[in-house]
Amino acid sequence: MWVTSIDSMDKDSQDVHQLLNELRTKFVETHKMIKTMQGINLSPEQQQQQLQHLREQVKTKNKLLQKYKSLCMFEIPKE
Amino acid sequence: MAAGANGEQSSTRERLLVALEDLELLARELIEVLAISRNQKLAQPGEESQILELLIQRDKEFQELMKLALDQGKIHHEMQVLEKVVEKRDNDIQQLQKQLKEAEHILATAVYQAKEKLKSIEKARKGAISSEEIIKYAHRISASNAVCAPLTWVPGDPRRPYPTDLEMRSGLLGQMNNPSANGVNGHLPGDALAAGRLPDVLAPQYPWQSSDMSMNMLPPNHSNDFMLEPPGHNKENEDDVEVMSTDSSSSSSDSD
């Protein structure tokens, strides 16, 4: 793209300007896209830590639920 | 150039933005250099290629960072799913805890009530009264027309289903009002005092009957019926009970 733009600089400055504008637009769009991308607020290491933490939480809560359910020896009337 | 500012702990977004900024800067620089070199007709191949190399290198880093960002996006999705699972588990746990609390409350109430029952059972055991005695006493009460008038009752008949003034005053309540009083004098109701009958004779007399009549109207077995006594255990009382109970039971047959 750059080579093309340089070549065309001599031929038609209008084309060059258009290409440069396109490039600028692409940069702006990429910037916006990066701003809206999800899940990149953290570094990969921090994200992994959080993921592990969540997995642990699910595991612990599952265990607790299992414990509660095994404790419940009475039939609870449904409302 | 901000390329060196990327730390390992900075977020991927920041690193991407920095890389993009670098790319933009390098591209602008390259274009400017190329334009200047063209306009001035000066050949500076070294600077152009250097900038180009830097640009390519930075672009490679940017591509890698984009891949990393996509991977992180997938992990983020997984984390969202896990967060929903955690939320659901939290709700389940809270629900179970609530039910356990309710069960605890019900059980505590039941235990309390059971303890109260045990206490009353124990109390009843300590002060045990034989049912026979209670039945005998009940017979005595009913036989004295204290709760129900005899079927043959007519106006003027003193056998009434409620205690007379005299009976009330000779009872515990009457004694409580005036424990030191001798007899019932001075504590009679106004109409009785006004009538001036009771102070002379401690027996109810009414205008429509004489004292003899009132006694005569009663059956022979009822002469002592008004004197209610707590269930005692002398032979005489027991005989009375027998007589009264038969009378009570026969009162209905009398009307036939």
Side-chain angles (χ1 to χ4, degrees):
Chain A
M1 187 179 79
W2 302 109
V3 177
T4 316
S5 67
I6 298 300
D7 288 340
S8 62
M9 220 181 269
D10 292 334
K11 294 171 189 172
D12 195 352
S13 60
Q14 287 283 335
D15 288 348
V16 174
H17 275 290
Q18 195 183 340
L19 283 169
L20 285 174
N21 276 336
E22 278 176 17
L23 182 65
R24 193 181 297 124
T25 313
K26 276 201 173 184
F27 272 119
V28 171
E29 280 174 2
T30 312
H31 195 272
K32 276 184 190 170
M33 189 192 74
I34 291 170
K35 286 273 182 189
T36 54
M37 275 173 86
Q38 285 192 329
I40 54 169
N41 285 328
L42 304 169
S43 70
E45 292 78 18
Q46 287 170 334
Q47 199 184 29
Q48 280 297 326
Q49 276 181 2
Q50 230 179 46
L51 182 67
Q52 282 302 318
H53 178 67
L54 272 170
R55 282 179 177 156
E56 284 294 320
Q57 263 194 323
V58 172
K59 209 173 163 183
T60 314
K61 285 177 196 294
N62 277 341
K63 270 187 186 176
L64 188 64
L65 263 175
Q66 207 58 41
K67 189 182 164 187
Y68 275 152
K69 281 180 181 171
S70 63
L71 269 177
C72 191
M73 289 175 285
F74 305 104
E75 282 187 14
I76 298 154
K78 288 178 182 173
E79 288 168 10
Chain B
M1 205 177 294
N6 296 336
E8 283 300 312
Q9 289 302 312
S10 57
S11 71
T12 309
R13 193 190 306 282
E14 282 170 15
R15 289 169 69 191
L16 269 171
L17 287 173
V18 168
L20 187 69
E21 209 175 295
D22 287 351
L23 279 177
E24 202 175 348
L25 207 70
L26 284 169
R28 193 179 294 158
E29 210 171 320
L30 185 64
I31 291 165
E32 278 174 7
V33 166
L34 284 173
I36 289 166
S37 67
R38 277 286 173 187
N39 288 338
Q40 294 180 350
K41 309 285 181 189
L42 294 170
Q44 289 176 329
E47 196 180 353
E48 288 165 8
S49 58
Q50 204 179 347
I51 294 169
L52 198 61
E53 271 176 29
L54 268 172
L55 189 69
I56 291 167
Q57 191 192 334
R58 206 76 187 106
D59 182 59
K60 207 181 275 177
E61 285 173 18
F62 182 77
Q63 295 296 332
E64 280 171 11
L65 276 172
M66 279 303 282
K67 276 183 192 170
L68 185 67
L70 287 173
D71 287 344
Q72 277 191 273
K74 285 176 190 168
I75 292 170
H76 177 72
H77 185 256
E78 190 186 344
M79 282 167 72
Q80 278 182 325
V81 173
L82 281 174
E83 275 170 4
K84 278 183 185 171
V85 173
V86 168
E87 199 179 329
K88 195 176 176 300
R89 295 287 180 273
D90 274 343
N91 285 339
D92 289 349
I93 289 167
Q94 275 179 358
Q95 189 69 22
L96 270 170
Q97 278 179 336
K98 195 181 160 193
Q99 287 173 351
L100 282 171
K101 281 266 174 201
E102 279 174 18
E104 188 193 10
H105 179 71
I106 292 165
L107 281 174
T109 312
V111 167
Y112 175 76
Q113 284 174 352
K115 276 182 181 172
E116 288 295 310
K117 277 229 160 85
L118 282 172
K119 270 186 201 170
S120 55
I121 288 168
E122 194 60 32
K123 197 177 168 187
R125 272 184 190 158
K126 278 179 183 170
I129 300 170
S130 75
S131 56
E132 263 184 45
E133 228 171 286
I134 294 169
I135 292 165
K136 278 181 189 173
Y137 193 58
H139 272 295
R140 286 188 59 179
I141 292 168
S142 63
S144 65
N145 299 315
V147 290
C148 178
L151 289 174
T152 55
W153 187 86
V154 288
D157 190 341
R159 296 174 296 161
R160 296 170 300 170
Y162 49 86
T164 60
D165 284 339
L166 185 67
E167 286 158 4
M168 280 299 286
R169 296 195 182 283
S170 62
L172 272 173
L173 281 171
Q175 299 299 320
M176 278 167 69
N177 281 341
N178 189 13
S180 60
N182 296 322
V184 291
N185 287 341
H187 296 277
L188 293 169
D191 58 346
L193 276 171
R197 289 184 294 272
L198 281 165
D200 303 321
V201 187
L202 290 178
Q205 288 186 356
Y206 298 96
W208 61 80
Q209 63 175 98
S210 69
S211 60
D212 292 334
M213 266 179 70
S214 67
M215 293 308 285
N216 290 338
M217 278 181 75
L218 294 171
N221 291 334
H222 284 73
S223 54
N224 292 329
D225 282 351
F226 290 113
M227 301 302 286
L228 279 178
E229 290 172 19
H233 280 288
N234 56 43
K235 186 68 187 166
E236 204 179 311
N237 279 345
E238 281 180 11
D239 291 345
D240 280 352
V241 168
E242 285 306 315
V243 170
M244 282 185 280
S245 61
T246 50
D247 179 68
S248 166
S249 57
S250 65
S251 62
S252 58
S253 60
D254 288 348
S255 63
D256 294 337

